Amino acid sequence: IITTHFFCYTTLMKRRDFIKFTTISAILFSTNISIAKNIPSQTLLVLDEVLNIIFPKTSTMPGAKEFKALEYLIKNISNKTFDDEDKTLILDGTKDFISSFPQFLTSNEKEKKELIFEIIKNSAYAKSWVSKITYYGIEAMFSDPIYGGNFNQIAWQSVNHAVGIPQPLKTYGQKI
């Protein structure tokens, strides 16, 4: 049954989903961050989708993909200074979400949005999980690019932010 399910899923996988999966795989394999290699690809796919729902591209603001929200989250969740409770909520919450809504990744964009908004209305745990992902998405959008988000200062440019000087040369209190 598992083989049949996998075969059906892969044959039905859309080109877009394949591209997303290969992008997620590239993040995993291009990083030397040990925890990133221990995060299941399905978890990364779900986090990427949820971030893209929370932070869609608009005419004035970049979307999660453009400011590299997932890369920021993975890079930072892997740092020893990342809050352990936040890490647990994000990773365990995503695992719980996947087991509760296995159809999520095969749903269309409208169904995904409806599901996310429905679960945050009905579950304090889900609301807390989405809230935490949103918090780190905002960090990814507006932090200094040295931390892995705000790619090419795209979010700063979208709000005409004047870059603060001096900018960090190293991350997380490393000595220069």
Coordinates of all heavy atoms in Angstrom, one line a residue, residues 10-86:
T10 N 3.6 10.4 -6.7 CA 4.7 10.9 -7.5 C 4.2 11.1 -9.0 O 4.6 12.0 -9.7 CB 5.9 10.0 -7.5 OG1 5.6 8.7 -7.9 CG2 6.6 10.0 -6.2
T11 N 3.3 10.2 -9.4 CA 2.8 10.4 -10.8 C 1.8 11.5 -10.9 O 1.7 12.1 -11.9 CB 2.1 9.1 -11.3 OG1 1.1 8.7 -10.4 CG2 3.1 8.0 -11.5
L12 N 1.2 11.8 -9.8 CA 0.3 13.0 -9.7 C 0.9 14.3 -9.4 O 0.4 15.3 -9.5 CB -0.9 12.7 -8.8 CG -1.8 11.6 -9.1 CD1 -2.8 11.3 -8.0 CD2 -2.5 11.8 -10.4
M13 N 2.2 14.2 -8.9 CA 2.9 15.4 -8.5 C 3.0 16.4 -9.7 O 3.4 16.0 -10.7 CB 4.3 15.0 -8.0 CG 5.1 16.2 -7.5 SD 6.8 15.8 -7.0 CE 6.5 14.8 -5.5
K14 N 2.6 17.5 -9.4 CA 2.6 18.6 -10.4 C 4.1 19.1 -10.6 O 4.9 18.9 -9.7 CB 1.8 19.8 -10.0 CG 0.3 19.4 -9.9 CD -0.5 20.6 -9.4 CE -1.9 20.2 -9.1 NZ -2.6 21.3 -8.4
R15 N 4.3 19.6 -11.7 CA 5.6 20.2 -12.0 C 6.1 21.2 -11.0 O 7.2 21.2 -10.5 CB 5.6 20.8 -13.4 CG 6.9 21.4 -13.8 CD 6.8 22.0 -15.2 NE 8.1 22.5 -15.6 CZ 8.4 23.8 -15.6 NH1 7.6 24.7 -15.1 NH2 9.6 24.2 -15.9
R16 N 5.1 22.1 -10.5 CA 5.4 23.1 -9.5 C 5.8 22.4 -8.2 O 6.8 22.8 -7.6 CB 4.2 23.9 -9.3 CG 4.4 25.1 -8.4 CD 3.1 25.9 -8.3 NE 2.5 25.2 -7.1 CZ 1.5 25.7 -6.4 NH1 1.0 26.9 -6.8 NH2 1.0 25.1 -5.4
D17 N 5.2 21.3 -7.8 CA 5.5 20.6 -6.6 C 6.9 20.0 -6.7 O 7.6 20.0 -5.7 CB 4.4 19.5 -6.3 CG 3.1 20.1 -5.9 OD1 3.0 21.3 -5.5 OD2 2.1 19.5 -6.2
F18 N 7.2 19.5 -7.9 CA 8.5 18.9 -8.1 C 9.6 20.0 -7.9 O 10.6 19.7 -7.3 CB 8.6 18.2 -9.5 CG 10.0 17.7 -9.8 CD1 10.4 16.5 -9.2 CD2 10.8 18.4 -10.6 CE1 11.7 16.0 -9.4 CE2 12.1 17.9 -10.9 CZ 12.5 16.7 -10.3
I19 N 9.3 21.1 -8.5 CA 10.3 22.2 -8.4 C 10.5 22.6 -6.9 O 11.6 22.8 -6.5 CB 9.9 23.4 -9.3 CG1 10.0 23.0 -10.7 CG2 10.7 24.6 -9.0 CD1 9.4 24.0 -11.7
K20 N 9.4 22.7 -6.2 CA 9.5 23.1 -4.8 C 10.3 22.0 -4.0 O 11.1 22.4 -3.2 CB 8.1 23.1 -4.1 CG 7.3 24.3 -4.4 CD 6.0 24.2 -3.7 CE 5.0 25.1 -4.3 NZ 3.6 24.9 -3.7
F21 N 10.0 20.7 -4.3 CA 10.7 19.7 -3.6 C 12.2 19.8 -3.9 O 13.1 19.6 -3.0 CB 10.2 18.3 -4.0 CG 10.9 17.2 -3.4 CD1 10.7 16.9 -2.0 CD2 11.8 16.4 -4.1 CE1 11.3 15.8 -1.4 CE2 12.5 15.4 -3.4 CZ 12.3 15.1 -2.1
T22 N 12.6 20.0 -5.2 CA 14.0 20.1 -5.5 C 14.7 21.3 -4.9 O 15.8 21.3 -4.5 CB 14.2 20.0 -7.0 OG1 13.5 21.1 -7.6 CG2 13.9 18.7 -7.6
T23 N 13.9 22.4 -4.8 CA 14.4 23.6 -4.1 C 14.7 23.3 -2.7 O 15.7 23.7 -2.1 CB 13.4 24.8 -4.3 OG1 13.2 25.0 -5.6 CG2 14.0 26.0 -3.6
I24 N 13.7 22.7 -2.0 CA 13.9 22.3 -0.6 C 15.1 21.4 -0.4 O 15.9 21.6 0.5 CB 12.6 21.6 0.0 CG1 11.4 22.5 -0.1 CG2 12.8 21.1 1.4 CD1 11.4 23.8 0.7
S25 N 15.2 20.4 -1.3 CA 16.4 19.5 -1.3 C 17.7 20.3 -1.4 O 18.7 20.0 -0.8 CB 16.2 18.4 -2.3 OG 15.1 17.7 -2.1
A26 N 17.7 21.3 -2.3 CA 18.9 22.1 -2.5 C 19.3 22.8 -1.2 O 20.5 22.9 -0.9 CB 18.7 23.0 -3.7
I27 N 18.3 23.3 -0.5 CA 18.6 24.0 0.8 C 19.2 23.0 1.7 O 20.2 23.3 2.4 CB 17.3 24.5 1.4 CG1 16.7 25.7 0.5 CG2 17.5 25.0 2.8 CD1 15.3 26.1 0.9
L28 N 18.7 21.8 1.8 CA 19.2 20.8 2.7 C 20.7 20.4 2.4 O 21.5 20.3 3.2 CB 18.4 19.5 2.7 CG 17.1 19.6 3.5 CD1 16.3 18.3 3.3 CD2 17.4 19.8 4.9
F29 N 20.9 20.1 1.1 CA 22.2 19.6 0.7 C 23.2 20.7 0.5 O 24.4 20.4 0.6 CB 22.0 18.8 -0.6 CG 21.2 17.6 -0.4 CD1 20.0 17.4 -1.1 CD2 21.5 16.6 0.5 CE1 19.2 16.3 -0.9 CE2 20.7 15.5 0.8 CZ 19.6 15.3 0.0
S30 N 22.9 21.9 0.4 CA 23.8 23.0 0.2 C 24.3 23.5 1.6 O 25.2 24.3 1.7 CB 23.3 24.1 -0.7 OG 22.3 24.8 0.0
T31 N 23.6 23.2 2.6 CA 23.9 23.7 3.9 C 24.8 22.8 4.7 O 24.7 21.6 4.5 CB 22.6 24.1 4.7 OG1 23.0 24.7 6.0 CG2 21.8 22.9 5.0
N32 N 25.6 23.3 5.6 CA 26.4 22.5 6.5 C 25.8 22.5 7.9 O 26.4 22.1 8.8 CB 27.8 23.0 6.5 CG 28.0 24.4 7.0 OD1 27.0 25.0 7.4 ND2 29.2 24.9 7.1
I33 N 24.5 22.9 8.0 CA 23.8 23.0 9.2 C 23.3 21.6 9.6 O 22.5 21.1 8.8 CB 22.7 24.0 9.2 CG1 23.3 25.4 8.9 CG2 21.9 24.1 10.5 CD1 22.3 26.5 8.5
S34 N 23.7 21.0 10.7 CA 23.4 19.7 11.0 C 21.9 19.5 11.2 O 21.3 18.5 10.7 CB 24.2 19.1 12.2 OG 23.9 19.9 13.3
I35 N 21.2 20.4 11.9 CA 19.8 20.1 12.2 C 19.0 20.2 10.9 O 18.0 19.5 10.7 CB 19.2 21.2 13.2 CG1 17.8 20.7 13.6 CG2 19.2 22.6 12.7 CD1 17.2 21.5 14.8
A36 N 19.4 21.0 9.9 CA 18.7 21.1 8.7 C 18.6 19.8 8.0 O 17.6 19.4 7.3 CB 19.3 22.2 7.8
K37 N 19.7 19.0 8.1 CA 19.7 17.7 7.5 C 18.9 16.7 8.2 O 18.5 15.6 7.6 CB 21.2 17.2 7.4 CG 22.0 18.1 6.4 CD 23.4 17.7 6.3 CE 24.0 18.5 5.2 NZ 25.3 19.1 5.5
N38 N 18.5 17.0 9.4 CA 17.6 16.1 10.2 C 16.2 16.5 10.1 O 15.3 15.8 10.7 CB 18.1 16.1 11.7 CG 19.5 15.6 11.9 OD1 19.9 14.7 11.1 ND2 20.2 16.1 12.8
I39 N 15.8 17.5 9.4 CA 14.4 17.9 9.3 C 13.9 17.2 8.0 O 14.4 17.3 7.0 CB 14.3 19.4 9.1 CG1 14.8 20.2 10.4 CG2 12.8 19.8 8.9 CD1 14.9 21.7 10.2
P40 N 12.8 16.4 8.2 CA 12.2 15.7 7.0 C 11.8 16.7 5.9 O 11.4 17.8 6.2 CB 11.0 15.0 7.6 CG 11.2 15.0 9.1 CD 12.1 16.2 9.4
S41 N 12.0 16.3 4.7 CA 11.7 17.2 3.6 C 10.2 17.6 3.6 O 9.9 18.7 3.2 CB 12.1 16.5 2.2 OG 11.4 15.3 2.0
Q42 N 9.3 16.7 4.0 CA 7.9 17.0 4.1 C 7.7 18.2 5.1 O 6.9 19.0 4.8 CB 7.1 15.8 4.4 CG 5.6 16.0 4.3 CD 4.8 14.8 4.5 OE1 5.2 13.9 5.3 NE2 3.7 14.7 3.8
T43 N 8.4 18.2 6.1 CA 8.3 19.3 7.1 C 8.7 20.6 6.4 O 8.1 21.6 6.6 CB 9.2 19.0 8.3 OG1 8.7 17.8 9.0 CG2 9.2 20.2 9.3
L44 N 9.8 20.6 5.7 CA 10.3 21.8 5.0 C 9.3 22.2 4.0 O 9.1 23.4 3.8 CB 11.7 21.5 4.4 CG 12.8 21.2 5.3 CD1 14.1 20.8 4.6 CD2 13.1 22.5 6.2
L45 N 8.7 21.3 3.2 CA 7.7 21.6 2.2 C 6.5 22.3 2.9 O 6.0 23.3 2.4 CB 7.2 20.4 1.5 CG 8.2 19.8 0.5 CD1 7.8 18.5 0.0 CD2 8.4 20.8 -0.7
V46 N 6.0 21.8 4.0 CA 4.9 22.3 4.7 C 5.2 23.7 5.2 O 4.5 24.7 5.1 CB 4.4 21.4 5.8 CG1 3.4 22.1 6.7 CG2 3.7 20.2 5.2
L47 N 6.4 23.9 5.9 CA 6.8 25.2 6.4 C 6.9 26.2 5.2 O 6.4 27.3 5.4 CB 8.1 25.1 7.1 CG 8.1 24.5 8.5 CD1 9.5 24.2 9.0 CD2 7.3 25.4 9.4
D48 N 7.4 25.8 4.1 CA 7.5 26.7 2.9 C 6.2 27.1 2.5 O 5.9 28.3 2.2 CB 8.3 26.0 1.8 CG 8.7 26.9 0.7 OD1 9.1 28.0 0.9 OD2 8.5 26.4 -0.5
E49 N 5.2 26.2 2.4 CA 3.9 26.5 1.9 C 3.2 27.4 2.9 O 2.5 28.4 2.5 CB 3.0 25.2 1.7 CG 3.4 24.4 0.5 CD 3.1 25.1 -0.8 OE1 2.0 25.7 -0.9 OE2 4.0 25.1 -1.7
V50 N 3.3 27.1 4.2 CA 2.6 28.0 5.2 C 3.2 29.4 5.2 O 2.5 30.4 5.2 CB 2.7 27.3 6.6 CG1 2.3 28.3 7.7 CG2 1.9 26.0 6.7
L51 N 4.5 29.5 5.1 CA 5.2 30.8 5.0 C 4.7 31.6 3.7 O 4.4 32.8 3.8 CB 6.7 30.7 4.9 CG 7.3 30.4 6.3 CD1 8.7 29.8 6.1 CD2 7.3 31.7 7.1
N52 N 4.5 30.9 2.6 CA 4.0 31.5 1.4 C 2.6 31.9 1.5 O 2.1 32.9 0.8 CB 4.3 30.6 0.2 CG 5.7 30.6 -0.2 OD1 6.3 31.7 -0.5 ND2 6.4 29.5 -0.1
I53 N 1.8 31.2 2.3 CA 0.4 31.6 2.5 C 0.4 32.9 3.4 O -0.4 33.8 3.2 CB -0.4 30.5 3.2 CG1 -0.6 29.4 2.1 CG2 -1.7 31.0 3.7 CD1 -1.1 28.1 2.7
I54 N 1.2 32.9 4.5 CA 1.2 34.0 5.4 C 1.8 35.2 4.8 O 1.3 36.4 5.0 CB 2.0 33.6 6.7 CG1 1.3 32.5 7.4 CG2 2.2 34.8 7.6 CD1 2.2 31.8 8.5
F55 N 2.8 35.1 3.9 CA 3.5 36.2 3.3 C 3.5 36.0 1.8 O 4.4 35.7 1.1 CB 5.0 36.2 3.7 CG 5.2 36.4 5.2 CD1 5.4 35.3 6.0 CD2 5.0 37.7 5.8 CE1 5.6 35.5 7.4 CE2 5.2 37.8 7.1 CZ 5.5 36.8 8.0
P56 N 2.3 36.3 1.2 CA 2.2 36.2 -0.3 C 2.8 37.4 -0.9 O 2.9 38.5 -0.3 CB 0.7 36.2 -0.5 CG 0.1 37.0 0.6 CD 1.0 36.7 1.8
K57 N 3.3 37.2 -2.1 CA 3.8 38.4 -2.9 C 2.7 39.3 -3.3 O 1.6 38.8 -3.7 CB 4.5 37.8 -4.1 CG 5.1 38.9 -5.0 CD 5.9 38.3 -6.2 CE 6.4 39.3 -7.2 NZ 7.4 40.2 -6.6
T58 N 2.9 40.6 -3.1 CA 1.9 41.6 -3.5 C 2.5 42.5 -4.4 O 3.7 42.4 -4.7 CB 1.3 42.3 -2.3 OG1 2.3 43.2 -1.7 CG2 0.8 41.4 -1.2
S59 N 1.8 43.5 -4.9 CA 2.3 44.5 -5.8 C 3.4 45.4 -5.1 O 4.2 46.0 -5.8 CB 1.2 45.4 -6.4 OG 0.6 46.1 -5.4
T60 N 3.4 45.5 -3.8 CA 4.3 46.3 -3.1 C 5.3 45.6 -2.2 O 6.3 46.2 -1.8 CB 3.6 47.4 -2.2 OG1 2.7 46.7 -1.3 CG2 2.7 48.3 -3.1
M61 N 5.0 44.4 -1.9 CA 5.8 43.6 -0.9 C 6.3 42.3 -1.5 O 5.5 41.6 -2.2 CB 5.1 43.3 0.4 CG 4.8 44.5 1.2 SD 6.3 45.4 1.8 CE 7.0 44.2 2.9
P62 N 7.5 41.9 -1.2 CA 8.0 40.6 -1.7 C 7.3 39.5 -0.9 O 6.8 39.7 0.2 CB 9.4 40.6 -1.4 CG 9.6 41.5 -0.2 CD 8.5 42.6 -0.4
G63 N 7.2 38.3 -1.5 CA 6.6 37.1 -0.8 C 7.7 36.4 -0.1 O 8.9 36.7 -0.2
A64 N 7.3 35.4 0.7 CA 8.2 34.6 1.5 C 9.3 34.0 0.6 O 10.5 33.9 1.1 CB 7.5 33.5 2.2
K65 N 9.0 33.6 -0.6 CA 10.1 33.0 -1.4 C 11.1 34.0 -1.8 O 12.3 33.8 -1.8 CB 9.4 32.5 -2.7 CG 8.7 31.2 -2.6 CD 9.1 30.2 -3.6 CE 8.3 29.0 -3.6 NZ 8.5 28.2 -2.4
E66 N 10.7 35.3 -2.1 CA 11.6 36.3 -2.5 C 12.5 36.7 -1.4 O 13.7 37.0 -1.6 CB 10.8 37.5 -3.1 CG 10.2 37.3 -4.4 CD 8.9 36.6 -4.4 OE1 8.2 36.6 -3.3 OE2 8.5 36.1 -5.4
F67 N 12.0 36.8 -0.2 CA 12.9 37.3 0.9 C 13.5 36.1 1.7 O 14.2 36.2 2.6 CB 12.2 38.3 1.9 CG 11.0 37.8 2.6 CD1 11.2 37.1 3.8 CD2 9.8 38.2 2.2 CE1 10.0 36.7 4.5 CE2 8.6 37.8 2.9 CZ 8.8 37.1 4.1
K68 N 13.3 34.9 1.1 CA 13.9 33.6 1.6 C 13.6 33.3 3.1 O 14.5 33.0 3.9 CB 15.4 33.7 1.4 CG 15.8 33.8 -0.1 CD 17.2 33.5 -0.4 CE 17.5 33.6 -1.9 NZ 17.2 32.5 -2.6
A69 N 12.3 33.3 3.3 CA 11.8 33.0 4.7 C 12.2 31.6 5.2 O 12.7 31.5 6.3 CB 10.3 33.2 4.8
L70 N 12.1 30.6 4.3 CA 12.4 29.3 4.8 C 13.9 29.1 5.0 O 14.3 28.6 6.1 CB 12.0 28.2 3.8 CG 12.2 26.8 4.2 CD1 11.4 26.4 5.4 CD2 11.9 25.8 3.0
E71 N 14.7 29.7 4.2 CA 16.2 29.6 4.4 C 16.6 30.3 5.7 O 17.4 29.8 6.5 CB 16.9 30.3 3.2 CG 16.9 29.5 1.9 CD 15.6 29.8 1.1 OE1 14.6 30.3 1.6 OE2 15.7 29.5 -0.1
Y72 N 16.0 31.4 6.0 CA 16.2 32.2 7.2 C 15.8 31.3 8.4 O 16.6 31.1 9.4 CB 15.4 33.5 7.2 CG 15.5 34.2 8.6 CD1 16.5 35.1 8.8 CD2 14.5 33.9 9.6 CE1 16.6 35.7 10.1 CE2 14.6 34.6 10.8 CZ 15.6 35.5 11.0 OH 15.7 36.1 12.3
L73 N 14.6 30.7 8.4 CA 14.2 29.9 9.5 C 15.1 28.7 9.7 O 15.5 28.5 10.9 CB 12.7 29.4 9.2 CG 12.1 28.6 10.3 CD1 12.0 29.4 11.6 CD2 10.7 28.1 9.9
I74 N 15.5 28.0 8.7 CA 16.3 26.8 8.8 C 17.7 27.2 9.3 O 18.3 26.6 10.2 CB 16.4 26.1 7.5 CG1 15.1 25.5 7.1 CG2 17.5 24.9 7.6 CD1 14.4 24.7 8.1
K75 N 18.3 28.3 8.8 CA 19.6 28.8 9.2 C 19.5 29.1 10.7 O 20.4 28.8 11.5 CB 20.0 30.0 8.4 CG 21.4 30.5 8.8 CD 21.8 31.6 7.9 CE 23.2 32.1 8.2 NZ 23.7 33.2 7.3
N76 N 18.5 29.8 11.1 CA 18.4 30.3 12.5 C 18.0 29.3 13.5 O 18.4 29.2 14.6 CB 17.5 31.6 12.5 CG 18.3 32.7 11.9 OD1 19.2 33.3 12.5 ND2 18.0 33.0 10.6
I77 N 17.1 28.4 13.1 CA 16.6 27.3 14.0 C 17.8 26.4 14.3 O 17.8 25.7 15.3 CB 15.4 26.6 13.4 CG1 14.5 26.0 14.5 CG2 15.8 25.5 12.4 CD1 13.2 25.5 14.0
S78 N 18.8 26.4 13.4 CA 19.9 25.5 13.6 C 21.0 26.1 14.5 O 21.9 25.4 14.9 CB 20.5 25.2 12.3 OG 19.6 24.6 11.4
N79 N 20.8 27.4 14.8 CA 21.8 28.1 15.7 C 21.6 27.7 17.1 O 20.5 27.6 17.6 CB 21.8 29.6 15.4 CG 22.9 30.3 16.1 OD1 23.0 30.4 17.3 ND2 23.9 30.7 15.2
K80 N 22.7 27.6 17.9 CA 22.6 27.2 19.3 C 21.9 28.3 20.1 O 21.4 28.0 21.2 CB 24.0 26.9 19.9 CG 24.9 28.1 19.9 CD 26.3 27.8 20.5 CE 27.1 29.0 20.4 NZ 28.5 28.7 20.8
T81 N 21.8 29.5 19.6 CA 21.1 30.6 20.4 C 19.6 30.6 20.1 O 18.9 31.3 20.8 CB 21.7 31.9 20.0 OG1 21.5 32.2 18.6 CG2 23.2 32.0 20.3
F82 N 19.1 29.8 19.2 CA 17.7 29.8 18.9 C 16.9 29.2 20.1 O 17.3 28.2 20.7 CB 17.4 28.9 17.6 CG 16.1 29.2 17.0 CD1 15.9 30.2 16.1 CD2 15.0 28.4 17.3 CE1 14.6 30.4 15.5 CE2 13.8 28.5 16.8 CZ 13.6 29.6 15.8
D83 N 15.8 29.8 20.4 CA 15.0 29.4 21.6 C 14.5 28.0 21.4 O 13.9 27.7 20.4 CB 13.9 30.4 21.7 CG 13.1 30.1 23.0 OD1 12.1 29.3 22.9 OD2 13.4 30.7 24.0
D84 N 14.9 27.1 22.3 CA 14.5 25.7 22.3 C 13.0 25.5 22.2 O 12.5 24.6 21.5 CB 15.1 24.9 23.4 CG 16.6 24.7 23.2 OD1 17.1 24.7 22.1 OD2 17.3 24.5 24.3
E85 N 12.2 26.3 23.0 CA 10.8 26.2 23.0 C 10.2 26.5 21.6 O 9.3 25.9 21.2 CB 10.2 27.1 24.1 CG 10.4 26.5 25.5 CD 9.8 27.4 26.6 OE1 8.9 28.3 26.2 OE2 10.2 27.3 27.7
D86 N 10.8 27.6 21.0 CA 10.3 28.0 19.7 C 10.6 26.9 18.7 O 9.8 26.5 17.8 CB 11.0 29.3 19.2 CG 10.4 30.5 20.0 OD1 9.5 30.3 20.8 OD2 10.9 31.6 19.7

